[in-house]
């Protein structure tokens, strides 16, 4: 006999859509309740269709789908648009940032693994990308929190190899005297493969290690704090963090993220 199907409701962000047939689409949706799902939207390409504009890329919608327990594709029966991503507000840069962010979520999540905090982070970040302000800061904040929420957050305080506390990261530029400033310019080794900082002893013989200024890592720690305090990232530090995150994400994914090349277009 056929496996039973249950109708489920969820709030979803549209990550991707593919043509399935002349009239139907396959959609990859990131739902708050069920995590990432792939569903068939029958008739979605017809002029008069039950989904209206709810399946536009990056739209936030409320969906009903038949949860198939055996097959990979669920069946989408309803989608009501809650909010579309407004490119006229975000401009091209904000659109690129949003596509890049949603691609990362797609690449770093498994099907049907509910992660409501990650859903909220993506929804919040998509809204921020539509303000056209401080895109780079918002994107780095998103990536850093995504890494933490998916269990890939690097260790910044202790050597990933031996566990020894790395002292000089704690030094930030709060004092204006020169000694403080000098310590904060010191460099720390970061292991891409292990995902975190290394003490000088454990650095020997390790591959895929980059060195990062301690103040750049201090900035990352601020980004990771769960507060709504805005973190302003100076351009010099942004370049260093962008390079570090690019390399770390490529290492994690085994390839460059799809929208990676567009990041060069982002202004401040």
């Amino acid at each position: 006999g056929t496996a039973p199907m249950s109708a489920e409701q969820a709030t979803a962000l549209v990550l991707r859509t593919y043509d399935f047939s002349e009239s139907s689409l396959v959609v990859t949706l990131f739902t708050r309740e069920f995590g990432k799902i792939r569903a068939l939207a029958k008739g979605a390409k017809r002029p008069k269709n039950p989904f209206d504009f709810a399946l536009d890329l990056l739209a936030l919608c409320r969906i009903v789908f038949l949860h198939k327990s055996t097959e990979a594709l669920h069946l989408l029966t309803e989608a009501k648009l809650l909010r579309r991503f407004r490119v006229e507000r975000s401009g091209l840069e904000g659109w690129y940032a949003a596509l890049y962010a949603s691609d990362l979520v797609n690449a770093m999540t498994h099907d049907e693994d509910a992660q409501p905090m990650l859903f909220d982070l993506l929804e919040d970040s998509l809204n921020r990308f539509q303000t056209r302000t401080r895109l780079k800061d918002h994107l780095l904040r998103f990536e850093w929190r995504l890494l933490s929420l998916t269990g890939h957050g690097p260790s910044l305080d202790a050597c990933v190899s031996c566990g020894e506390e790395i002292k000089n990261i704690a030094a930030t530029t709060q004092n204006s005297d020169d000694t403080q400033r000098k310590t904060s310019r010191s460099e720390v080794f970061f292991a891409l493969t292990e995902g975190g900082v290394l003490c000088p002893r454990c650095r020997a013989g390790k591959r895929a290690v980059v060195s990062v200024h301690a103040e750049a890592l201090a900035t990352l720690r601020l980004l990771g704090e769960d507060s709504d305090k805005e973190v302003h990232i100076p351009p010099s530090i942004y370049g260093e963090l962008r390079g570090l995150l690019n390399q770390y994400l490529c290492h994690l994914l085994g390839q460059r993220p799809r929208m990676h090349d567009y990041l060069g277009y982002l202004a401040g």
Side-chain angles (χ1 to χ4, degrees), residues 8 20 34 46 54 67 71 73 84 90 98 100 106 113 127 174 178 187 198 213 239 253 266 268:
E8 306 283 10
F20 181 75
F34 301 93
R46 295 201 180 106
H67 196 288
E71 296 161 52
L73 283 182
R84 35 184 287 268
S90 71
Y100 172 76
N106 195 14
D113 175 18
N127 291 336
Q174 271 147 13
D178 284 343
E187 298 203 337
L198 287 171
H213 284 109
L253 298 171
L266 300 190

Side-chain angles (χ1 to χ4, degrees), residues 9-208:
Q9 297 190 22
T11 303
L13 286 159
V14 181
L15 296 185
R16 281 198 195 174
T17 63
Y18 304 91
D19 287 347
F20 181 75
S21 65
E22 268 180 43
S23 61
S24 301
L25 288 175
V26 169
V27 287
T28 302
L29 301 163
F30 191 53
T31 70
R32 197 171 193 283
E33 296 80 355
F34 301 93
K36 186 169 68 182
I37 63 167
R38 290 176 358 104
L40 179 62
K42 286 183 177 168
K45 290 163 68 182
R46 295 201 180 106
K48 288 235 183 301
N49 72 70
F51 309 111
D52 216 6
F53 295 104
L55 299 182
D56 286 354
L57 212 49
L58 305 186
L60 176 74
C61 51
R62 190 78 192 144
I63 62 164
V64 178
F65 68 101
L66 293 179
H67 196 288
K68 297 201 175 183
S69 49
T70 48
E71 296 161 52
L73 283 182
H74 305 302
L75 193 61
L76 198 65
T77 54
E78 277 177 56
K80 284 203 170 58
L81 181 67
L82 297 177
R83 197 164 54 240
R84 35 184 287 268
F85 187 93
R86 308 185 79 90
V87 184
E88 66 274 17
R89 270 210 216 130
S90 71
L92 215 49
E93 290 185 349
W95 176 241
Y96 287 151
L99 289 176
Y100 172 76
S102 62
D103 261 355
L104 278 185
V105 166
N106 195 14
M108 293 184 66
T109 51
H110 298 290
D111 287 358
E112 308 210 24
D113 175 18
Q115 296 194 55
M117 286 173 75
L118 182 51
F119 180 92
D120 293 344
L121 171 68
L122 180 58
E123 188 194 348
D124 172 60
S125 299
L126 293 179
N127 291 336
R128 287 169 186 251
F129 296 149
Q130 290 172 88
T131 62
R132 287 196 196 212
T133 52
R134 306 204 11 256
L135 272 178
K136 289 177 162 177
D137 294 3
H138 291 325
L139 190 60
L140 274 180
R141 172 184 173 274
F142 166 80
E143 290 167 283
W144 190 242
R145 294 195 175 182
L146 167 74
L147 285 170
S148 156
L149 288 172
T150 52
H152 297 289
S155 161
L156 299 183
D157 302 301
C159 172
V160 279
S161 202
C162 72
E164 186 189 327
E165 192 186 339
I166 307 274
K167 295 276 192 297
N168 54 0
I169 302 183
T172 59
T173 44
Q174 271 147 13
N175 271 350
S176 54
D177 67 337
D178 284 343
T179 52
Q180 186 86 5
R181 213 175 252 157
K182 277 197 192 84
T183 31
S184 73
R185 286 307 296 168
S186 61
E187 298 203 337
V188 180
F189 298 119
F190 185 96
L192 295 169
T193 314
E194 283 92 336
V197 293
L198 287 171
C199 69
R201 268 200 322 278
C202 295
R203 158 73 184 96
K206 285 261 198 297
R207 300 163 71 93

